[in-house]
Amino acid sequence: MAEEREKNEERGHHLYKTSIKILKHSKRKKEKNEAYQLLTKAADLGNLKAMEKLAAALLFGYHIPQNITAAVALYETLAEKGSHKGQTVLGFMSSYGVGVEYNQAKALLYYTFGSLGGNLISQMILGYRYWLGINVPRNCEAALTNYKKVAKFIADKLGKYDDMPVEKMRLMERSENMSYNNVFLDWDVQQYYKFLAKRGDTQIQVIYKDEIIITLSLLLLQKAFYYFLKAAKAGNANGMAFLGKMFLEGSVAVIQSNATAFKYFTMAAEKIHRTFYNRGYFTFQNYTVAFKYFEDAAEKGLADAQLQLGIMYHSGTGVKKDYKLAFKYFYAASQNGQPIAVYYLGQMYAAGTGVFRSCQNAVELYRSVCELGSWSEKFLTAYFAYQAGDTDSSLVQYAFLAEMGYEVAQSNSAYILESEKVKILREDHKYPLALLLWKRAAAQGNAFARVKTGDYHFYGYGTKKNYATAAFYYSLAANHQNAQAMFNLAYMYEHGLGIPKDIYLARMWYAVAAKTNPDASIPVFLATLKLEVTVLLRGMKFFKIITQWKQSELDSILGPHWDLLAAAIIVILLLLLIRNRYN
């Protein structure tokens, strides 16, 4: 019996390794299908890694049709066997009611077990929940403990690999500005896929195909140039190399320049050379010489050099230890987009080294580092699933990221839930869940999410109507220069919905809305016209007689929207007057 079990374990391990090798190196769909057949056999033999890989594919719809029921069965088996990955995903599914009963208490329990098992995603989710007090008492120190563990792991990875960040695309903006056929990939997104595929990411390799024909436009090339320039300024050697390539070849976005291309190629080479020199590769370590190189480069604003100077002052390597100077260089590097510098700043705020201790600052800094983890690549697979029309797969991936605290994922998940294409959730659960996600995004400062949260409370979507709450969220968004929120707030002041009626404030917010966004000019003109006509009529003597009736009686006679009808009639009369004058 023991011999047979041992043989099954060896066979399962062999099948798992073979399937992973095929997924990593093969591009044909047929070979991928064969790989998943081997993975299924390995899972049947009890191989935990195979079960985890297969369960993720079934849940997120990677390479095979999405099957939530089968995924739940596998994850429950994994959780029983002590798999922290299984516990984490069951926590996520319980939190959203995907495939299992919606149960926040059970979700928290699963996350706790996953965190104790060392699962970084569970730790990140708990950090986010303690930070904002989601189903747990708000506790900054507990959030700090969890985020610190994850941030340390990510910082160590960033120190070894010079990865490019993943773009987090907002679906609302893409749908409003989409002017290209969905068959074609955005060039900058395709470059991310190519970069990740070459690095060995099996999920990305399946989607990325070298033979895809890309139609490039001036807009997309300029966008790519922006991202590569941003990466280069942050000290990313890949960004520098890509810029060199763009200037070498030339395009409608950048003028061909051998000199500029040489400059960026040289910067990339020097960046790699400095890193190797500081680590003592190819030469004896000489901190004095390294310090001189870093100091010269830091004065020119190179983020990586500023980081290295910060590290040297922080640890006292080659120079006298000086936490204030270390903080200065870490801060400068972080402002130039250096993520490891952000991690060091988090450390200093967490320990109170060189600065006053601040749990809040430390959490926010650590959190920004945590969001650079490899799991952020789901933004790409989720986006492409959405573009391909696989709404449920896209939703589950975005929702998983949303649970980890990514604001963009929270907004995207809520946006998808408002569509009629979602099949994996009950109809009566969609709006309440969308409201929950909009609220979480709103809590992170997203003005559009604040408007949406206000809308849900104004119209009673997924909750009871509450004009006071709606006005509160509109006010928050209006303070962030959102014209729609300003318009809505003006309407509520005009009619006294949830807030005291105030014609003067209504006029002010209408005017500010038009000034903030020119697109609001026509709606504001019509709303203001209606407001002024109503005020004028109510001020006239003959209208005072009519207004002896109660407002409710007037509404019952002429209808609840008589003021809108009056405004429409006035607009029609004005148009007729203008037409007659023109004739």
Side-chain angles (χ1 to χ4, degrees):
M1 191 76 174
E3 288 182 7
E4 186 179 349
R5 186 167 61 251
E6 190 175 329
K7 284 182 180 179
N8 284 338
E9 287 178 359
E10 288 180 3
R11 187 161 174 258
H13 180 72
H14 174 72
L15 288 170
Y16 170 73
K17 288 288 185 183
T18 305
S19 64
I20 293 300
K21 188 176 180 180
I22 295 171
L23 286 172
K24 189 173 182 179
H25 298 290
S26 302
K27 293 183 179 179
R28 296 178 182 176
K29 188 176 180 180
K30 184 179 179 181
E31 292 172 341
K32 301 293 181 184
N33 290 335
E34 290 174 1
Y36 272 92
Q37 289 175 8
L38 294 175
L39 203 62
T40 304
K41 290 179 182 178
D44 291 339
L45 290 169
N47 185 280
L48 286 179
K49 289 185 177 179
M51 292 171 71
E52 289 171 349
K53 186 80 174 174
L54 184 61
L58 289 167
L59 175 62
F60 297 113
Y62 294 148
H63 326 319
I64 56 177
Q66 189 180 38
N67 189 328
I68 302 294
T69 304
V72 170
L74 274 172
Y75 278 122
E76 286 178 342
T77 303
L78 284 165
E80 289 173 4
K81 292 179 179 290
S83 166
H84 58 76
K85 287 186 179 179
Q87 292 161 346
T88 298
V89 178
L90 280 177
F92 157 69
M93 297 175 87
S94 299
S95 180
Y96 283 81
V98 176
V100 297
E101 182 187 2
Y102 176 81
N103 191 322
Q104 288 292 339
K106 190 178 285 187
L108 186 61
L109 185 65
Y110 277 125
Y111 290 143
T112 303
F113 280 121
S115 175
L116 291 172
N119 188 276
L120 296 174
I121 292 175
S122 272
Q123 290 168 355
M124 189 169 169
I125 290 171
L126 286 177
Y128 174 65
R129 289 193 167 216
Y130 278 113
W131 183 49
L132 291 181
I134 299 173
N135 301 118
V136 292
R138 193 164 188 171
N139 188 328
C140 185
E141 294 299 331
L144 178 61
T145 300
N146 283 283
Y147 274 128
K148 186 176 181 179
K149 295 174 185 176
V150 184
K152 186 180 186 307
F153 177 84
I154 301 302
D156 289 341
K157 286 283 186 183
L158 292 171
K160 294 174 184 176
Y161 304 103
D162 197 20
D163 288 357
M164 290 180 67
V166 174
E167 184 188 5
K168 302 173 183 66
M169 292 154 286
R170 294 185 184 276
L171 297 182
M172 295 83 70
E173 294 173 2
R174 292 277 164 167
S175 62
E176 289 172 4
N177 300 315
M178 190 63 69
S179 58
Y180 306 99
N181 193 313
N182 287 347
V183 173
F184 300 114
L185 310 179
D186 284 0
W187 187 75
D188 54 332
V189 178
Q190 191 256 0
Q191 289 296 312
Y192 283 127
Y193 266 81
K194 186 173 182 180
F195 178 80
L196 295 170
K198 286 185 176 179
R199 195 183 66 182
D201 191 299
T202 56
Q203 294 173 11
I204 302 298
Q205 286 171 340
V206 175
I207 298 176
Y208 172 75
K209 293 180 176 64
D210 287 326
E211 63 269 16
I212 290 178
I213 299 174
I214 307 299
T215 300
L216 300 178
S217 69
L218 174 61
L219 175 63
L220 297 179
L221 281 169
Q222 286 176 334
K223 200 171 183 183
F225 179 77
Y226 164 78
Y227 286 119
F228 293 142
L229 186 62
K230 191 175 181 181
K233 285 182 178 179
N236 186 285
N238 288 296
M240 297 171 188
F242 269 120
L243 282 176
K245 186 174 182 292
M246 290 186 77
F247 277 107
L248 181 66
E249 296 174 350
S251 68
V252 290
V254 293
I255 299 171
Q256 197 279 337
S257 172
N258 290 335
T260 309
F262 179 76
K263 169 191 166 185
Y264 281 110
F265 285 137
T266 303
M267 286 172 63
E270 286 180 352
K271 194 268 181 183
I272 296 168
H273 173 74
R274 277 192 298 271
T275 303
F276 274 72
Y277 192 94
N278 193 46
R279 293 178 183 176
Y281 301 143
F282 309 139
T283 183
F284 294 107
Q285 282 186 323
N286 188 325
Y287 292 117
T288 304
V289 177
F291 181 83
K292 183 180 180 301
Y293 276 122
F294 290 139
E295 195 171 40
D296 290 342
E299 288 177 2
K300 296 176 182 177
L302 192 65
D304 192 62
Q306 293 165 341
L307 167 68
Q308 295 299 334
L309 280 179
I311 292 172
M312 294 180 82
Y313 276 117
H314 187 267
S315 61
T317 305
V319 292
K320 186 180 178 180
K321 191 178 287 188
D322 190 325
Y323 290 128
K324 288 187 177 180
L325 281 174
F327 182 86
K328 170 191 170 183
Y329 283 112
F330 285 144
Y331 181 78
S334 70
Q335 294 300 297
N336 288 322
Q338 211 334 312
I340 302 177
V342 176
Y343 171 73
Y344 275 102
L345 285 175
Q347 268 193 330
M348 297 184 79
Y349 273 113
T353 307
V355 291
F356 288 109
R357 187 179 186 277
S358 171
C359 178
Q360 186 71 16
N361 287 348
V363 166
E364 289 176 357
L365 290 163
Y366 276 145
R367 183 168 177 257
S368 65
V369 175
C370 292
E371 291 191 349
L372 297 173
S374 60
W375 41 74
S376 65
E377 291 166 11
K378 274 188 173 63
F379 274 103
L380 295 176
T381 52
Y383 174 71
F384 273 77
Y386 183 80
Q387 290 292 81
D390 195 350
T391 308
D392 286 334
S393 172
S394 179
L395 173 62
V396 173
Q397 293 179 70
Y398 277 129
F400 191 72
L401 292 166
E403 188 73 353
M404 297 169 72
Y406 288 92
E407 180 272 310
V408 175
Q410 290 166 349
S411 298
N412 286 353
S413 300
Y415 177 77
I416 293 173
L417 281 166
E418 290 181 347
S419 71
E420 298 179 356
K421 299 177 182 178
V422 177
K423 306 297 181 186
I424 59 174
L425 293 171
R426 300 195 319 267
E427 286 297 323
D428 61 341
H429 189 49
K430 290 180 184 178
Y431 276 121
L433 188 56
L435 174 59
L436 176 71
L437 288 161
W438 284 128
K439 274 186 177 179
R440 290 183 181 178
Q444 299 197 59
N446 185 310
F448 181 80
R450 287 173 174 175
V451 173
K452 293 295 291 186
T453 305
D455 289 345
Y456 273 59
H457 285 286
F458 187 92
Y459 295 106
Y461 295 152
T463 185
K464 292 181 180 179
K465 283 186 180 182
N466 190 323
Y467 292 134
T469 304
F472 170 74
Y473 279 102
Y474 289 148
S475 297
L476 289 176
N479 291 334
H480 281 76
Q481 304 302 306
N482 185 285
Q484 181 64 59
M486 294 171 179
F487 184 92
N488 294 353
L489 202 56
Y491 182 85
M492 296 185 81
Y493 271 117
E494 180 185 350
H495 296 277
L497 300 174
I499 46 180
K501 189 172 182 178
D502 193 319
I503 299 300
Y504 299 103
L505 282 177
R507 285 177 179 142
M508 183 200 78
W509 281 115
Y510 278 136
V512 174
K515 188 176 180 181
T516 302
N517 189 343
D519 292 340
S521 298
I522 295 176
V524 165
F525 169 75
L526 295 174
T528 305
L529 180 64
K530 184 206 74 169
L531 172 64
E532 297 302 336
V533 169
T534 303
V535 171
L536 179 64
L537 290 176
R538 283 175 178 167
M540 291 174 65
K541 192 171 182 179
F542 77 89
F543 192 73
K544 288 181 180 178
I545 299 171
I546 299 175
T547 53
Q548 290 176 0
W549 293 320
K550 294 181 180 179
Q551 185 69 36
S552 58
E553 292 175 350
L554 190 61
D555 288 344
S556 63
I557 296 170
L558 300 178
H561 302 295
W562 64 270
D563 52 350
L564 293 175
L565 180 63
I569 293 170
I570 291 167
V571 170
I572 292 170
L573 291 173
L574 285 172
L575 291 173
L576 290 172
L577 182 64
I578 293 168
R579 183 184 174 188
N580 290 335
R581 186 170 183 178
Y582 176 78
N583 290 334

